[in-house]
Every structure is written in C-alpha cells, then in structure tokens.
Amino acid sequence: MPGADPHTIRTVAALGEARYPHGFETAIESDSAPKGLGEDTIRFISAKKNEPDWLLQWRLSAFKLWQGLREPNWAKLNYTPVDYQDISYYSAPKQKTAPKSLDEVDPELLKTYEKLGIPLSEQKLLAGVAVDAVFDSVSVVTTFREELKKAGVIFCSISEAVREHPELVQKYLGSVVPVADNFFAALNCAVFTDGSFVYVPPGVRCPMELSTYFRINAKNTGQFERTLIIADKGSYVSYLEGCTAPQRDENQLHAAVVELIALEDAEIKYSTVQNWYPGDKDGKGGIYNFVTKRGACRGARSKISWTQVETGSAITWKYPSCILQGEGSVGEFYSVALTTNHQQADTGTKMIHIGKNSRSTIISKGISAGQSQNTYRGLVRVLPRADGAQNYTRCDSLLLGDRCGAHTVPYIESKNPTARLEHEATASKVSDDQLFYCRARGLDEDEAVGLIINGFCREVLQALPMEFAVEAQKLIALSLEGSVG
Amino acid sequence: MLQISDLHARYDGKDILTGVSLSIKPGEVHAIMGPNGAGKSTLGYVLSGRPQYEVTSGQVQLAGQDLLALEPEQRVAAGLFLAFQYPVEIPGVSTMNFLRTAVNAVRKARGQAEHDAPSFLRLVREKAKALGISEEMLKRPLNVGFSGGEKKRMETLQMLLLEPKLAVLDETDSGLDIDALKVVAQGVNSLRGSERSLLVITHYQRLLDYIKPDFVHVLSAGRIVKSGGPELALELEAKGYSHVA
C-alpha cells in the first residue's frame, strides 16, 4: 500500500468546508411547544395529535422509564452533553386544517421540497416513487395514495395510522424496539411526533418505491420521528428515507426509532440517504443523530435488507439491526459512512441469529477525511438453537489524510458450534498513484477523489434503488469536495 | 509542437533531469532511449505534472502554451497525454464509466460538447474493437486484474479517445508479447498525422520496428547526450548504451 506523499498531506490539510446546499431555512410560521420536557409536554403533543388514551399512557410510561435510564457512553463519540430541557419537542407549520390534497399544502413548503430536489407537485412527481414529506414534527403530504390503496398498501403518516388503523399500530408499535431498549429509544417513545407507516398485505408486491423525506427546519427543535413498516406474509416493499436540515450554529437533536416486521416469506428493503447538516469546518453546529433502527424477520424465509449512505450529521449513533427469528431468514446490512471535518460516526449493525439456517451479510465501507472519526461497531450473535447459521462480514476503511481515524470494532458471540462466521477487514488510503492517474486523464482532484471513493463504495451503492444510487454518488462526491486540493 | 528548454527536475531530493532540451515539430515522432536510471520516466512525469516531481529550472511549451504553469488535468486539456508504464488499478470503477468521465471532462475543458451515452458507446466500441478490447473488459473495473497486454491496450484506447496533440509513451512495450505489441503499435500509428506528435520512451529498439521514429535521442544521467535518425536506435541495439553514453 503506497503511503500518502507530502503533497497529498498538504492538500488534505487545506481541507475546506464541504459544501452543504441544503442549509437554507424556510420562512414559515410554526406552532411550537415551549422548550422543556415533562409530562405536560407529552400531554401537549398527544393532544395536538388527537391521540387515543392508550397511546398517551404508553408515552407516559415510556417517559417514566426514560427518567431512570442513562445516556449510553460506550460509543467512540465525544460531544457536548444535550440539555434535554432546552429543546422544543414539537414544531409544526401553521395550517388551519390538515391538507387533503397537494393544492391545499402551503406553497412555501412545496417550494422547500422543490429546492431539495423532491418535487411534490403532481406534474413533477418522481415516477414510480411515493413520497411522505415530514417537516419538523408533522407529515405535510403523502403522494400516490390512491394508487397504493388499489394495491391494498397502506402508506401514511404514523399519526394518521394511529387514528385509521389502531389495531395494526397497537399490535406492532414497540414490538421490535421495546420501550426501555435504550435511552434514546425511550425518549422517542415519550415524545415522537410523526413519521411514516407502511402496511403491505399478504402476497402483495408494493407497486412502487415508498419514500419519506425528513426535514428539520425550526430552530431549537428536536425531531423524533417514528417509522413502522409491516410486510405481511409473502409481500415485498422497498422503502427509502432521505434527510436534510438548515445550517445552524447550534446542535440539534434527532432521535428516531424505526421498526420493521417481516412475516413469512416477506421482504423489506430499507434504504437511507442521511444528509443532516454536518456542522461547519470547525465542528460548530450540526445534527446529533441518535437513531434506533431494528427489523424483525419473524417468519420463515423472511428477509430484511438495510442499506445506508451516511454523509451528514455532526454525531451519528446508529446500528440498524436484524433479529433473525424465522427459519432460513436473511438479514443484510450495506453501509457507507463518510465523515469529513470534525464529524464523528459510530455506526454498524447487529445480526441476532435465532432461527435455524438464518443467514446474514454485512458490508461496511467507512471513509474518513479531515479530522473526523469513523467507527464501525457490529455484533453477530448466534443463539444456541440457530443451527447452520451463517454470517459474512467485510469492513473496509479508507482514509484521506493523516488526521482522521478509522476504527473497526466487531463483536462475535456464537453459542452454536455449527455456525459459520467469516470476518474480513481492510484499511487503506487513496493512493497518490490513483489520484495522479485520474488527473493525467483530465479529471481534477475533486472529480478524481469522487470517482475513486464511489468505486470503493460500489457494492453498497449497487444495493440502493437505481434512482437513488445516482443521487448518492453525487452526494458522496459533493461531500468530499475540497478534501484534497 | 513541444519545446523543452534546459529542463532541470528533482525527485525525492535528488536531481534527476539536469538540462534536457528537445524540440518536436507537428507530426514528428521522437524516441528517447537510454539505460535504466537515466531519467526517462521522470521526463514523462515532469511533462505531465506529477506533484512529487519538482521542476527547478527550464521551460516547456506545448503548442505555444506554458505547460509548467498548468495543473496535470489542464495539461491533458491542452493536448498532452501520458501512456503509463504501469497503469494504475481503480477498483469499483468500471472501465466504461472511467472512459466516459475522462473524455467528457477533457471535452468540457476544451470547450467541446460532451458526448451523450449512446454516441460515446458507439465511439468506444469502434476503437476498442480495433485494439482487440472486448465488451466484457470494458465492464470490468479499470485495470483491475488486467494482464500486462490488456493494460497497455487500455492505455492506447484512452490515448485515441482523448485525441492528444502530443502523446508520451512510457515503456509501452514492457510486458507485451509480440502479437500484443503489434496491436498496440497499430493503434498508436493510427493516431499519427500531420497535427500530432509522439514522444516514445523506450529501453529497447524492438518497439521502434513498429512505431518508426523520425528522430532518436539518447538520455543519460538526466540529459540528452546524442541525437540522430532511426539508425541511432539500431546502433544502440548493436553496441549498447555504454558505447554512446
């Protein structure tokens, strides 16, 4: 492996602030909860959303549990502690009545999503992709609902699902991530505001990609979204989430919970392109992204596949996981985590093998530049009855410059001697030979780095739905702009 | 086309080029020969602007432009091409994608329209076929697992696609069997014309049987010690470098 030459080190040292084109703020009047967290806050949120009493009680019990939990400190992350009383837990754009169609949505909001490259107006809808747009604490619009309804697919905001499909929500909410699972998950249970809900009935292949676009706009506000996806027997759904936030000097908190349930022979493909504001070049501002994502492969031969491209946030704490209960069930985790400037990411997955012959694959690509720290943390656990369980893990790290860090922390626990577990890890640098070769073919340094990094991430990007793979490639190149040169 | 005047360059603290002067007119083919360590590859890197190579004095002009003032990628746009002795592997980047990215970047820098996907595909297929490059190879990651011969064919394909005014071929014959050498030479010769020039860097005379030079220069200890016609290459082959250098 050729080492970095002095020129590259010099140019990397001149690392500029990665450009963040989504940093604008929408001027819109909003309806917010006063700062602070207590039972009153929870009652306020629940009342705003006209929730049934069972959900209010569930939130209140979560709040009690949360008060007894401690913020986790085992991750390789270093950040100013969050003052949970200095955050507003609810913010919604003011609107007299809930919009029934796109014509009734505030044009400012439509303009915002347009600027973000997510056109919501009917003429310009992304072909074959249904979008749920969540702005601060509320879902503003969900597209293509009629078409989905014809197929029997329910795709709506979780607030609406609580009202319209309480039996499904009550059955599955908190069934994968228990209320007291961890500090951030318990907080989310107490104060979650909105998010998406998907139910795909037995045997149905969802006719289009579903996607949710999360946007944090209001200042001093936390976003606590909650997503619940249920794929009934023999069904299939592909779901994608995207996230951005305005550029601000203060850190903002995002603590989401995502639960996936795949029944017999069902498959869920869940993709994330996370581009929350990462802070400036000196590490000021940026989103704290503390997220709990977990899927349960409940039925035999069910499959859950997580693909994530993580380029944003000042702090990322995120481990999308699979509980492989069903016999022959399959879990996959494909991840690209890119950190620049002072970003810190501690991310990975957990694959819990319970069912016989369950299989899992983990492909993680970490890219660190600037003075960032990038950690892969993963657990593969095989329980005693999981005969014939298999896991393949590969973690590749790529470093740009010599002031950043890449760390790989794999945990492997096998209680079944028939399990077959493989782990590979590599760490490398973008070589000067590669950079110069690309430049000698006419690419400038940024284009060269973008191309080389995208090549490094290829296996993961290929796992994304095609429309988004192209976007993700551009995002990676953009995030690294100025990393050399 | 290319005017090198009293060029001095250092690498890793050592003076490698110690006063190279060379003039190449449009359409001419010049060969640079010399023993190992004479500075042949350094000359190629210095001309193409490799960052670690430091020019301490001298000038280089390409078609009237001050080459040394340009970044490596700007030199490509200005019409320079270096065919590498050891082409570099770019894992995960398909050859076709790399070619399209490179060609469009250069066309953009030259103020030409970028190729759309279908027309570019046609162009590449046609040129690749002549060089014996298969469709399958174009789909593979660039240079990854390519044989020596495949890599040199790929360098030649890139050269044809980037349409340089001056191409520098660094030890293009190394690692090639005679059949591959003929194919590559044919490709290089197809580029020859009144408006294009070639600078062929080679250790052996063998390549010059297939790419016929107008002039031959001997580089030794960082400077040109002898120049002549094609017959000089044959003389070197017969008598060895120690005879002239």
Side-chain angles (χ1 to χ4, degrees):
Chain A
M1 182 183 78
D5 80 300
H7 176 78
T8 303
I9 291 169
R10 223 169 28 246
T11 49
V12 169
L15 186 74
E17 185 175 345
R19 275 160 238 175
Y20 189 75
H22 310 301
F24 63 90
E25 180 178 351
T26 306
I28 195 161
E29 242 191 296
S30 54
D31 192 1
S32 302
K35 278 184 184 177
L37 178 57
E39 286 199 8
D40 291 353
T41 325
I42 292 161
R43 288 179 195 279
F44 174 90
I45 293 169
S46 196
K48 274 279 171 203
K49 307 186 95 61
N50 288 320
E51 285 176 356
D53 190 57
W54 68 264
L55 190 52
L56 173 63
Q57 297 310 322
W58 190 75
R59 288 173 178 279
L60 290 171
S61 69
F63 179 61
K64 285 211 179 70
L65 288 163
W66 176 73
Q67 287 175 308
L69 292 170
R70 281 217 199 128
E71 202 165 326
N73 60 3
W74 41 260
K76 193 176 165 45
L77 298 172
N78 196 348
Y79 58 92
T80 326
V82 180
D83 181 352
Y84 292 92
Q85 297 303 333
D86 196 35
I87 295 171
S88 167
Y89 288 82
Y90 182 85
S91 175
K94 261 193 188 155
Q95 193 142 26
K96 285 170 205 92
T97 49
K100 289 190 182 60
S101 72
L102 278 164
D103 308 335
E104 296 174 26
V105 176
D106 188 322
E108 272 303 313
L109 283 175
L110 294 181
K111 249 192 266 169
T112 300
Y113 284 91
E114 183 101 18
K115 258 166 107 174
L116 295 169
I118 317 285
L120 298 174
S121 53
E122 295 284 4
Q123 313 88 305
K124 293 179 189 158
L125 288 176
L126 283 166
V129 182
V131 181
D132 183 22
V134 177
F135 192 84
D136 290 333
S137 304
V138 291
S139 165
V140 288
V141 70
T142 310
T143 63
F144 282 118
R145 299 178 56 154
E146 287 309 306
E147 279 89 335
L148 290 167
K149 212 168 163 185
K150 271 180 224 152
V153 174
I154 303 169
F155 179 39
C156 62
S157 73
I158 194 133
S159 310
E160 192 181 332
V162 167
R163 293 191 300 270
E164 308 289 325
H165 310 281
E167 68 301 338
L168 285 170
V169 177
Q170 227 173 333
K171 183 171 178 190
Y172 291 108
L173 188 74
S175 75
V176 186
V177 178
V179 171
D181 185 80
N182 68 71
F183 181 85
F184 299 116
L187 177 64
N188 176 285
C189 292
V191 301
F192 80 84
T193 42
D194 221 334
S196 300
F197 175 84
V198 178
Y199 172 77
V200 190
V204 170
R205 190 177 169 88
C206 186
M208 57 183 81
E209 302 273 349
L210 303 184
S211 108
T212 301
Y213 195 89
F214 294 101
R215 172 78 176 167
I216 297 179
N217 186 64
K219 206 172 172 173
N220 301 320
T221 305
Q223 192 178 49
F224 304 92
E225 93 254 4
R226 186 97 198 180
T227 295
L228 180 58
I229 300 177
I230 303 137
D232 213 323
K233 289 178 183 174
S235 68
Y236 168 84
V237 63
S238 169
Y239 177 93
L240 183 124
E241 60 168 356
C243 346
T244 58
Q247 215 158 320
R248 294 187 194 285
D249 287 346
E250 306 83 28
N251 296 107
Q252 277 182 288
L253 179 63
H254 172 254
V257 172
V258 174
E259 296 178 285
L260 312 183
I261 295 112
L263 303 183
E264 215 172 281
D265 294 302
E267 180 178 348
I268 301 174
K269 185 176 163 60
Y270 191 105
S271 314
T272 303
V273 176
Q274 187 264 108
N275 187 23
W276 295 119
Y277 177 55
D280 69 8
K281 64 180 189 314
D282 302 317
K284 195 167 190 200
I287 301 289
Y288 287 175
N289 192 32
F290 300 124
V291 172
T292 305
K293 292 186 169 178
R294 198 172 301 158
C297 285
R298 296 240 163 107
R301 298 167 303 278
S302 56
K303 179 176 175 183
I304 289 180
S305 181
W306 298 99
T307 305
Q308 60 173 23
V309 175
E310 303 279 319
T311 61
S313 297
I315 305 285
T316 297
W317 179 96
K318 180 183 174 190
Y319 316 90
S321 303
C322 297
I323 302 169
L324 302 167
Q325 290 164 278
E327 200 173 317
S329 59
V330 176
E332 292 175 340
F333 175 74
Y334 297 101
S335 170
V336 169
L338 186 158
T339 52
T340 64
N341 296 327
H342 291 265
Q343 279 177 282
Q344 301 172 58
D346 194 299
T347 184
T349 184
K350 287 187 276 187
M351 293 291 174
I352 312 296
H353 291 260
I354 301 172
K356 284 192 178 108
N357 298 316
S358 50
R359 301 190 307 274
S360 61
T361 303
I362 299 170
I363 307 284
S364 162
K365 306 275 181 178
I367 301 139
S368 338
Q371 299 169 56
S372 67
Q373 295 294 331
N374 199 325
T375 303
Y376 167 81
R377 188 182 302 277
L379 168 68
V380 177
R381 177 181 286 158
V382 180
L383 295 179
R385 279 181 296 173
D387 292 340
Q390 286 180 39
N391 166 266
Y392 172 73
T393 298
R394 206 172 80 235
C395 300
D396 297 325
S397 308
L398 194 66
L399 295 136
L400 282 100
D402 56 3
R403 292 184 300 161
C404 50
H407 317 274
T408 301
V409 191
Y411 302 87
I412 299 168
E413 299 171 10
S414 179
K415 297 208 169 71
N416 187 310
T418 66
R420 219 172 68 214
L421 311 175
E422 289 176 66
H423 180 93
E424 292 173 26
T426 66
S428 53
K429 286 187 172 185
V430 170
S431 80
D432 296 315
D433 284 345
Q434 287 178 328
L435 269 183
F436 177 63
Y437 186 77
C438 291
R439 295 184 74 191
R441 295 299 174 258
L443 307 185
D444 67 30
E445 275 188 326
D446 283 336
E447 291 168 327
V449 169
L451 192 77
I452 293 165
I453 301 289
N454 274 309
F456 173 75
C457 304
R458 189 158 110 127
E459 285 162 283
V460 174
L461 297 178
Q462 276 177 334
L464 284 174
M466 219 204 346
E467 304 86 321
F468 300 107
V470 177
E471 287 308 307
Q473 278 186 29
K474 285 187 198 149
L475 178 62
I476 287 169
L478 186 73
S479 304
L480 283 168
E481 222 163 73
S483 298
V484 291
Chain B
M1 180 67 73
L2 183 75
Q3 189 73 42
I4 305 176
S5 323
D6 198 26
L7 186 64
H8 289 69
R10 293 164 73 87
Y11 175 70
D12 202 14
K14 287 193 275 288
D15 293 314
I16 310 284
L17 299 183
T18 56
V20 175
S21 295
L22 180 65
S23 177
I24 301 179
K25 293 198 177 71
E28 287 180 354
V29 176
H30 289 236
I32 298 259
M33 301 184 72
N36 289 329
K40 300 193 299 291
S41 288
T42 296
L43 180 61
Y45 283 145
V46 167
L47 290 177
S48 54
R50 183 154 193 155
Q52 299 90 333
Y53 292 76
E54 186 196 349
V55 174
T56 47
S57 69
Q59 273 109 42
V60 182
Q61 293 218 315
L62 176 68
Q65 263 190 291
D66 177 4
L67 202 64
L68 300 179
L70 302 178
E71 293 293 325
E73 59 274 18
Q74 294 170 327
R75 299 182 193 201
V76 182
L80 184 82
F81 181 90
L82 172 67
F84 281 57
Q85 182 179 4
Y86 303 109
V88 180
E89 299 184 356
I90 315 280
V93 177
S94 81
T95 298
M96 192 52 121
N97 180 19
F98 181 85
L99 296 176
R100 191 169 53 239
T101 309
V103 169
N104 280 337
V106 170
R107 290 185 68 91
K108 201 172 155 193
R110 288 177 183 162
Q112 297 165 326
E114 294 180 32
H115 285 294
D116 59 33
S119 73
F120 186 72
L121 203 64
R122 265 199 307 278
L123 178 73
V124 172
R125 280 187 180 146
E126 176 205 315
K127 300 214 185 277
K129 204 173 162 197
L131 289 165
I133 292 170
S134 67
E135 286 278 316
E136 185 266 332
M137 206 169 133
L138 292 169
K139 288 181 189 148
R140 279 155 60 188
L142 183 70
N143 291 328
V144 177
F146 285 18
S147 70
E150 285 174 331
K151 284 182 182 170
K152 295 301 168 77
R153 285 173 208 221
M154 193 51 71
E155 291 295 288
T156 312
L157 176 61
Q158 294 184 34
M159 179 176 77
L160 297 182
L161 290 170
L162 291 174
E163 302 179 323
K165 290 178 180 150
L166 175 89
V168 180
L169 276 55
D170 187 8
E171 306 276 2
T172 289
D173 51 332
S174 70
L176 290 189
D177 61 33
I178 197 72
D179 293 329
L181 182 65
K182 280 182 185 166
V183 173
V184 166
Q186 218 167 37
V188 171
N189 287 327
S190 75
L191 190 77
R192 289 177 75 161
S194 60
E195 286 311 307
R196 293 186 211 280
S197 310
L198 289 177
L199 181 60
V200 182
I201 295 171
T202 182
H203 189 78
Y204 300 104
Q205 196 270 337
R206 184 177 77 146
L207 179 66
L208 305 180
D209 288 340
Y210 300 96
I211 303 173
K212 298 251 189 302
D214 300 305
F215 299 95
V216 174
H217 311 276
V218 180
L219 190 74
S220 177
R223 65 178 74 200
I224 290 172
V225 293
K226 193 166 185 179
S227 297
E231 71 288 347
L232 180 56
L234 297 167
E235 189 188 327
L236 289 169
E237 182 83 352
K239 298 185 181 167
Y241 287 113
S242 54
H243 184 73
V244 289

